[in-house]
Amino acid sequence: MCPSLQESNIVLNDVNGKNINTYGVAKMSIRVGKISYENNVIICDIALDAILGQDFLLKFVNKIDYKKMTLHTDEDVIQCWIGGKSNMICRVFASEGINLPANCYKWVDIQFPSAKVHDEPVYIESLYETVIEKNICVLAGIVQPVSDKLSVLVANFNNEDIDLNPNTQLGTCESCSKRVSDTDARCASVVVDNPESSPSQLPEYLKDMWERSSKHLTTDESERVAALFVKFQNVFSKTSEDIGRIENVQHRIDTGNAQPIKQMPRRLPLGKREIERQEVHKMLERGIIEPSQSYARDDENKIVQTPIEEDEAHQIRVITRSQYSERKDKVKISDCILDGWDTTEIRQLQLEDPVIGYILTAKEDSNRPQWNEISHLSSLVKTLWRQWDRLVIHIGMLYRNWTDEQNEVNVLQLLLPITKHNEVLKYLHDTPTGGHLGVEKTLDKVRQTFYWPNMKETVQKYCTKCDLCTSRKHSKESPAPMGTYIVGEPMEKIAIDIFGSSPAYR
């Protein structure tokens, strides 16, 4: 009897976030192993036959053994496999210990855990790691898993005998039908236009690779490899300076709704800056990178194109040519410092700040207040007032011009409103990239972008109250020294060291 389909408002999405078309929910009998289970099933468009959801596993499955690949229910133990029987690749083990003579081959009894799953012949081949590490190889062949005793020929290429321990992995096995279909698919895509190509036609830069690749091949196989190398010779790099660029494959990098961010240049020691400049010019000559044609804002807050000279190494960027011509008109330069910040919001917070707002208003009027006008205000306002000449307005926000003496660069520090202090400190101290550094290092990170009066005290207070930092740092306080106790007369206070119990002596 066909189950009745009921409408449902369930929304399903695939791993890429795309919506999956659903038709409804029906109660069906699901046969897993030898037992049937009644459960609700969502009817939708998916490539797989079915997917067991968490509700089914919680309701009927008591245990999942990932090592043995089994589901344990109240009625049965269900053997599982990956992608169906034909897709399953099993590991092949030696069933018992055996000695392999040097430069000889010998029959070895084998076992593989999922032999009962396969009801058709399987193809067994050697494991690459075993060949490299032990220099032994399983002779490829076909076996019937349902046989009472399974064995394969194992060749020992060493000059000494090798002892194989029980459960040593020798190779892998997979369904013959799966392997045949895969082989047909692979061979159908390989077409050699010139089968008569000989190794003498190989370019000089490919001969060494061909000789190393043909070391264990027959003459016919070696010639086929040479034909492939000749056909696709333009894919390989000709010299160490050649990056081997081809136009046969194109790719697209979708960044979604991600916006550009501001980031300080990487710090480099003075001794490495010349090396960096040389490497950048090498990449320019090879065509790996090209000068940036970024967009920036002028003094009137208009977006203008600013070509960048090749001489400045730190102004060269790696670009994706397939995306550059399409996306350069859509690039938006954001003056936000952290993700989610907006310049209009930051300006409004600066105006509402009791300290920054007063100075920002005066700066916009280009009228520095007199001392008698600010003498009654807080010390924080006076701190900014004393730095009047270092304060600038950029895109409507107040910045401080600060010189980083260590890196010999000038930095525009955003005057951060008090409402954003904890958010910035949490981002620069608590996040995984922050690393819960100490006061001085956290302060250095803050100075690269932000400034506010009494910034050091704020950072020190925040780091001191960090629970994770406090739990991991030991107190530097030393125990109190022993002192002298003043008494009024002899024997007024008596100190006794209690010792015991000690063994009895005669």
Side-chain angles (χ1 to χ4, degrees):
M1 184 177 65
C2 182
S4 59
L5 189 64
Q6 301 177 0
E7 294 185 0
S8 174
N9 57 357
I10 296 176
V11 178
L12 298 179
N13 295 324
D14 61 10
V15 294
N16 297 319
K18 296 182 180 180
N19 183 263
I20 300 176
N21 188 24
T22 58
Y23 301 97
V25 178
K27 192 169 185 179
M28 296 185 180
S29 177
I30 305 173
R31 184 177 181 85
V32 182
K34 301 178 180 179
I35 310 298
S36 298
Y37 303 91
E38 295 287 337
N39 200 54
N40 290 329
V41 177
I42 302 175
I43 311 300
C44 60
D45 289 334
I46 58 175
L48 302 176
D49 296 335
I51 299 176
L52 292 181
Q54 187 177 4
D55 58 338
F56 179 89
L57 299 177
L58 294 175
K59 186 176 180 181
F60 300 107
V61 178
N62 300 327
K63 176 185 175 182
I64 303 177
D65 192 332
Y66 292 100
K67 186 175 182 180
K68 298 181 179 179
M69 300 179 64
T70 56
L71 296 179
H72 296 254
T73 65
D74 293 336
E75 297 85 2
D76 193 12
V77 176
I78 304 167
Q79 179 69 50
C80 302
W81 55 86
I82 301 175
K85 296 179 182 180
S86 62
N87 291 339
M88 186 172 182
I89 298 178
C90 305
R91 294 178 294 175
V92 178
F93 301 92
S95 60
E96 58 185 16
I98 192 172
N99 178 267
L100 294 178
N103 296 315
C104 189
Y105 59 86
K106 189 174 183 179
W107 287 98
V108 177
D109 294 339
I110 61 170
Q111 60 180 354
F112 46 98
S114 304
K116 296 181 179 179
V117 175
H118 293 283
D119 52 7
E120 57 183 9
V122 295
Y123 180 82
I124 295 181
E125 58 184 350
S126 185
L127 186 68
Y128 176 77
E129 289 78 4
T130 305
V131 176
I132 297 300
E133 296 176 3
K134 299 181 179 297
N135 201 21
I136 62 175
C137 178
V138 174
L139 274 65
I142 298 175
V143 299
Q144 181 61 259
V146 297
S147 303
D148 296 334
K149 187 176 181 180
L150 302 175
S151 58
V152 294
L153 275 175
V154 180
N156 179 15
F157 299 104
N158 296 281
N159 295 327
E160 299 178 355
D161 295 355
I162 290 182
D163 292 327
L164 290 182
N165 298 322
N167 297 323
T168 299
Q169 185 174 357
L170 301 176
T172 60
C173 70
E174 60 180 325
S175 170
C176 288
S177 60
K178 170 65 177 175
R179 183 174 180 85
V180 169
S181 61
D182 288 350
T183 304
D184 293 342
R186 289 195 299 268
C187 292
S189 61
V190 178
V191 179
V192 181
D193 295 334
N194 186 16
E196 298 179 357
S197 299
S198 63
S200 60
Q201 299 177 345
L202 280 172
E204 190 66 30
Y205 61 90
L206 291 179
K207 287 185 178 180
D208 179 66
M209 184 171 63
W210 171 76
E211 292 174 356
R212 288 185 284 109
S213 302
S214 305
K215 187 175 181 181
H216 300 290
L217 301 180
T218 62
T219 303
D220 180 62
E221 293 172 340
S222 178
E223 292 179 352
R224 290 172 62 87
V225 172
L228 287 174
F229 280 9
V230 171
K231 178 181 179 182
F232 299 104
Q233 56 183 297
N234 294 329
V235 176
F236 302 95
S237 299
K238 299 178 178 61
T239 63
S240 60
E241 302 295 327
D242 181 18
I243 61 173
R245 182 187 293 117
I246 61 174
E247 298 180 354
N248 300 343
V249 179
Q250 295 182 355
H251 71 281
R252 181 182 298 273
I253 302 175
D254 185 8
T255 58
N257 298 324
Q259 299 294 327
I261 61 171
K262 287 184 176 180
Q263 187 176 17
M264 294 296 296
R266 302 281 183 179
R267 296 182 180 180
L268 277 180
L270 294 176
K272 293 185 178 181
R273 293 183 183 178
E274 182 60 29
I275 300 176
E276 177 201 23
R277 185 180 299 275
Q278 294 175 1
E279 292 298 325
V280 168
H281 283 287
K282 284 183 181 179
M283 290 190 288
L284 280 171
E285 294 174 357
R286 299 175 188 175
I288 301 175
I289 60 176
E290 62 185 31
S292 170
Q293 301 292 328
S294 300
Y295 289 80
R297 295 179 184 266
D298 60 6
D299 295 336
E300 297 179 0
N301 199 22
K302 297 179 180 179
I303 297 180
V304 295
Q305 188 173 8
T306 57
I308 294 181
E309 301 295 335
E310 297 182 11
D311 294 337
E312 299 296 332
H314 66 277
Q315 293 178 332
I316 304 296
R317 68 173 182 176
V318 179
I319 66 170
T320 306
R321 291 184 176 85
S322 61
Q323 292 271 349
Y324 175 70
S325 58
E326 302 176 5
R327 296 181 59 90
K328 68 177 183 179
D329 295 332
K330 302 179 182 179
V331 174
K332 298 179 181 179
I333 301 299
S334 173
D335 289 279
C336 306
I337 308 300
L338 297 182
D339 186 23
W341 284 21
D342 181 71
T343 55
T344 306
E345 176 191 2
I346 299 301
R347 170 178 167 80
Q348 185 61 33
L349 292 176
Q350 283 187 339
L351 290 172
E352 295 175 357
D353 190 275
V355 177
I356 303 176
Y358 181 84
I359 300 297
L360 176 57
T361 304
K363 197 70 179 178
E364 289 180 333
D365 296 338
S366 300
N367 183 19
R368 183 179 185 181
Q370 299 298 320
W371 175 255
N372 56 2
E373 297 177 5
I374 66 165
S375 58
H376 64 284
L377 299 178
S378 66
S379 61
L380 303 180
V381 176
K382 298 174 184 177
T383 300
L384 294 180
W385 179 82
R386 285 190 290 268
Q387 305 179 69
W388 179 269
D389 294 335
R390 300 172 60 184
L391 302 179
V392 295
I393 295 179
H394 177 63
I395 318 180
M397 297 182 294
L398 190 61
Y399 287 80
R400 186 182 79 145
N401 192 355
W402 175 67
T403 301
D404 186 353
E405 297 179 356
Q406 182 178 0
N407 298 314
E408 300 178 354
V409 294
N410 292 330
V411 179
L412 281 182
Q413 299 172 309
L414 175 69
L415 265 70
L416 192 65
I418 190 173
T419 54
K420 291 290 187 179
H421 288 183
N422 285 340
E423 181 178 350
V424 167
L425 291 176
K426 182 177 180 180
Y427 178 81
L428 297 178
H429 178 78
D430 296 354
T431 58
T433 56
H436 287 273
L437 301 177
V439 175
E440 294 299 330
K441 292 184 179 180
T442 303
L443 184 61
D444 288 340
K445 295 176 67 175
V446 176
R447 282 174 176 163
Q448 299 302 319
T449 312
F450 305 102
Y451 172 78
W452 65 86
N454 289 347
M455 183 167 61
K456 183 174 182 178
E457 288 77 2
T458 306
V459 174
Q460 186 174 9
K461 184 178 179 180
Y462 185 90
C463 295
T464 304
K465 291 186 177 181
C466 178
D467 295 335
L468 187 59
C469 294
T470 305
S471 63
R472 294 185 176 182
K473 293 182 179 179
H474 300 287
S475 176
K476 297 182 180 180
E477 297 181 359
S478 57
M482 298 184 64
T484 304
Y485 190 87
I486 302 176
V487 297
E489 59 182 17
M491 303 302 291
E492 181 179 345
K493 294 287 184 179
I494 300 176
I496 301 177
D497 293 334
I498 302 176
F499 174 78
S501 59
S502 60
Y505 294 96
R506 294 183 179 178

